[in-house]
Amino acid sequence: MKTRDRILLKSLELFNEQGERSVTTNHIASALNISPGNLYYYFRSKEALGVAVLQHHHQTITNLLEST
């Protein structure tokens, strides 16, 4: 799995478990055993990451609905 996808999935997991406000980019990076700089290579901010998580989730749901 690509690093970007791993970041999205782990972010969604942590946001669901702890709430978006409680989770920092450092928490996400630590949970993935990557540096915060590596995370920021893919997402410039927590806000950009949050938007990408929602877009990814939306696309997943859309794909599931289209396949039925």
Side-chain angles (χ1 to χ4, degrees), residues 12 16 19 21 23 30 34-35 38 40 43-45 47-48 68:
L12 179 61
N16 284 334
R21 290 183 183 211
V23 177
S30 177
I34 63 173
S35 70
N38 195 4
Y40 284 116
F43 303 99
R44 290 182 168 221
S45 65
E47 181 179 310
T68 57

Side-chain angles (χ1 to χ4, degrees), residues 38-64:
N38 195 4
L39 188 143
Y40 284 116
Y41 173 81
Y42 294 96
F43 303 99
R44 290 182 168 221
S45 65
K46 183 178 169 184
E47 181 179 310
L49 176 55
V51 169
V53 167
L54 291 174
Q55 289 172 335
H56 178 78
H57 194 58
H58 179 264
Q59 187 60 51
T60 301
I61 291 170
T62 300
N63 291 344
L64 287 171

